[in-house]
Amino acid sequence: DLPVSGLWQCRDSVFPTVLLNGLNYLRSVELLCDVVLVTGTGTEHPAHRVVLASISPYFQYVNCITTTYKYKL
């Protein structure tokens, strides 16, 4: 095994929860958000492109064809 530095190992069972909580916090304070999703009623939801792309082929495609740093979908 490799030496471990930092607070936890990536194999730690709480790592996924810590990661998701951290991403949700960043989104909730609109820190590092690089896209805004807009609903049919005009409600805006800041988000992270990488998170959207990680769970959706649609957003993977949109990220590949869009080069603007911050945009609304």
Side-chain angles (χ1 to χ4, degrees):
D1 288 335
L2 297 173
V4 178
S5 62
L7 299 175
W8 20 253
Q9 296 182 31
C10 289
R11 289 185 248 163
D12 189 337
S13 62
V14 299
F15 180 75
T17 301
V18 171
L19 176 64
L20 289 175
N21 286 343
L23 289 169
N24 190 46
Y25 170 76
L26 292 172
R27 181 202 50 79
S28 71
V29 296
E30 299 184 24
L31 185 61
L32 302 175
C33 292
D34 53 1
V35 67
V36 177
L37 302 176
V38 182
T39 67
T41 61
T43 304
E44 296 187 355
H45 301 277
H48 300 100
R49 291 185 310 164
V50 69
V51 174
L52 296 172
S54 72
I55 61 168
S56 167
Y58 171 78
F59 286 112
Q60 289 173 17
Y61 173 75
V62 169
N63 286 331
C64 286
I65 63 171
T66 306
T67 58
T68 306
Y69 173 71
K70 197 167 189 169
Y71 54 93
K72 296 181 181 182
L73 300 175

